[in-house]
Amino acid sequence: MLKWALIFFVVSIIAALFGFTGIAAGAAAIAKFLFFLFLILFVIFLVLGLTVYKKITD
């Protein structure tokens, strides 16, 4: 998922350089959404992993 966020970020930068502001804004919005979705999922799985690890080792 982070890979897709990076791809949309690159697309938005390239589109901005060529002056396609609508496409650049759309791609940047998608990249931002995917990045924050990835970040939230990472934190959730990190917390779950730490709690399950503590239950297994105790």
Side-chain angles (χ1 to χ4, degrees):
M1 193 174 308
L2 192 56
K3 176 182 165 184
W4 283 105
L6 183 62
I7 289 170
F8 277 109
F9 176 72
V10 170
V11 167
S12 69
I13 296 297
I14 292 171
L17 290 175
F18 287 120
F20 301 117
T21 56
I23 295 171
I30 293 171
K32 187 186 294 186
F33 172 76
L34 288 175
F35 174 75
F36 284 116
L37 181 64
F38 172 79
L39 190 64
I40 290 168
L41 287 174
F42 171 74
V43 170
I44 289 171
F45 284 119
L46 180 67
V47 170
L48 286 174
L50 291 175
T51 57
V52 170
Y53 176 75
K54 286 185 179 180
K55 287 183 181 180
I56 291 173
T57 57
D58 288 341

